[in-house]
Amino acid sequence: MRSTSPREAKQRDEPVAEASARLDRALGGPWLLTGHDGRLTAYVHVEGAVLRWTESAPGGPRWTGPDVLSAKDIDRLTVVQGRNRYAHLLGRRVRPRADGWTNVDVMYATQYQTGRPMTQWRSLGNPFKEIDKAVEIGVPAAAVAADGALHVCVPTGPGGVALRREDKRGRWEAWTQLQVSGGTDGPVPAATSSGLVEVLVPTRTAALRLRQPEPGGALERGHDVAVPPLPGSVTALETAPGRLTYYLTDARGTGVVAVREGGRPLPLGGNPADGRIAAVRTTVDGFDCTVLAVRGADGTVHLGVCATEGEQAGFWWTGTGMSCAGDPALAADGHGRAVLMALRADGVLVVARQEDGQGLTLGDWSRV
């Protein structure tokens, strides 16, 4: 049996039962990622910690965990993954000062292999040196370029966005302010397999798009999206080589909308509540399909499916009946099957997996 390293012991120093008891007060998640070896990893942010569950084997059904990863003073968290399959955890750290102000900075840690410990938390600082401006930064978001460079965005003050990224050698560049204003929600960065990074910035009347003209280049304004996204709803998915589709909830109440570069917004319907849309590509009846998951207005998980980039030919929604606190998560497991995860209101993490058969059929829900 493999012995526990000092770093693992430090990360798991909190009693698992005590941390798990706080799942009914989760601050964020779940996030569901697929590792190099095909095993899935789930993360949930609770006060002072990140809880992590790991599949015992690709395709399940057994899980180990939760491992308790320290996240002291981090009030909001984001978990992202790039083509290299590393899991990047980014957080907003808030620490009180003796003078009544608070120190706020952006923290990050990385997990390189499934089931292994993550690195220590490191600070990326703050875009502002002035304490009154520094406290106004929002929740960090990130994308990983094809070369592995991490691009971190944070909303700043009254509608701005700041970016800090790694260069080709993995060294961090300075914070820069993007040429946008009027943002009403956190920015949504995303990367394509062709090496480009994009950022979508929601506003009250539209969503502003910035895009690199070439890998590693500066972000430049592109064509805006003429749909105001509901805060926190936007998800990006690469639906063709080098092309992203953004899925968002229309703040005007018309349901989910799909948007691609050069095309008109495509209404997909549905009855989503507030919260993030989850998206994944999988094979259904031999066809490449896109699957979405949302928390519906009735408080349960709803699934939508269509042929990838074929929304105009039809988009089908179905309810699962599973209650959901927060946002559902989707990923493709080691066998390419869609896996749906949700955190119930009673603090139980549950999962359902795509089965072979006609259409998008999920197996029974099981506790992780």
Side-chain angles (χ1 to χ4, degrees):
M1 180 179 294
R2 182 177 62 84
S3 61
T4 300
S5 70
R7 178 181 295 172
E8 289 175 300
K10 184 176 181 180
Q11 291 182 357
R12 300 174 187 176
D13 57 3
E14 181 180 3
V16 170
E18 179 181 340
S20 299
R22 288 181 281 147
L23 273 175
D24 60 348
R25 302 187 301 277
L27 301 175
W31 295 272
L32 190 61
L33 306 182
T34 309
H36 278 295
D37 59 2
R39 288 188 293 162
L40 296 173
T41 304
Y43 305 84
V44 176
H45 183 206
V46 298
E47 184 178 356
V50 179
L51 304 183
R52 183 185 72 186
W53 292 260
T54 307
E55 274 190 321
S56 299
R62 294 184 177 85
W63 298 73
T64 61
D67 296 326
V68 183
L69 312 180
S70 176
K72 184 180 179 182
D73 298 323
I74 291 178
D75 67 346
R76 296 294 299 274
L77 185 80
T78 301
V79 183
V80 300
Q81 186 180 48
R83 296 174 62 83
N84 56 19
R85 297 295 185 180
Y86 300 161
H88 299 276
L89 287 71
L90 297 110
R92 178 181 183 268
R93 183 173 65 172
V94 179
R95 294 172 296 168
R97 292 164 42 123
D99 59 6
W101 287 90
T102 54
N103 286 324
V104 178
D105 59 344
V106 176
M107 302 291 292
Y108 78 101
T110 305
Q111 178 187 322
Y112 294 105
Q113 293 180 308
T114 304
R116 299 294 292 166
M118 67 179 187
T119 65
Q120 294 181 343
W121 288 98
R122 297 181 175 89
S123 177
L124 290 176
N126 191 298
F128 301 105
K129 295 181 180 180
E130 304 88 347
I131 188 67
D132 57 331
K133 293 183 179 180
V135 298
E136 294 183 347
I137 68 165
V139 183
V144 186
D147 63 0
L150 190 61
H151 291 60
V152 180
C153 294
V154 292
T156 62
V161 175
L163 168 71
R164 192 171 187 190
R165 66 181 186 178
E166 294 177 296
D167 63 18
K168 295 180 180 179
R169 298 182 180 180
R171 297 174 302 190
W172 286 100
E173 299 177 355
W175 285 102
T176 59
Q177 293 290 329
L178 300 183
Q179 298 303 306
V180 297
S181 60
T184 55
D185 185 27
V188 182
T192 69
S193 57
S194 59
L196 301 179
V197 171
E198 297 184 12
V199 178
L200 201 71
V201 181
T203 71
R204 293 188 182 279
T205 58
L208 313 181
R209 178 188 276 136
L210 299 97
R211 193 171 190 267
Q212 290 177 327
E214 59 184 10
L219 288 162
E220 301 177 355
R221 283 289 298 274
H223 295 96
D224 297 340
V225 176
V227 179
L230 192 69
S233 67
V234 183
T235 292
L237 181 69
E238 188 171 34
T239 51
R243 183 164 61 236
L244 295 171
T245 298
Y246 291 95
Y247 298 97
L248 56 93
T249 301
D250 190 336
R252 298 168 297 188
T254 63
V256 178
V257 176
V259 181
R260 282 186 287 276
E261 179 73 21
R264 295 182 177 180
L266 300 170
L268 307 182
N271 189 24
D274 57 346
R276 183 181 69 243
I277 299 171
V280 72
R281 288 173 65 180
T282 189
T283 300
V284 179
D285 296 340
F287 295 96
D288 177 10
C289 290
T290 294
V291 180
L292 304 183
V294 300
R295 181 170 61 89
D298 62 355
T300 67
V301 180
H302 292 240
L303 278 182
V305 63
C306 70
T308 298
E309 295 202 354
E311 296 92 348
Q312 289 179 311
F315 196 91
W316 293 270
W317 290 98
T318 183
T320 67
M322 174 55 66
S323 66
C324 182
D327 306 322
L330 278 170
D333 70 8
H335 302 302
R337 298 172 299 185
V339 178
L340 175 61
M341 180 171 284
L343 182 62
R344 294 191 330 213
D346 59 359
V348 174
L349 193 62
V350 293
V351 64
R353 200 175 303 260
Q354 179 184 359
E355 292 187 331
D356 295 331
Q358 187 174 2
L360 181 64
T361 304
L362 294 179
D364 293 336
W365 290 92
S366 61
R367 182 169 184 163
V368 174

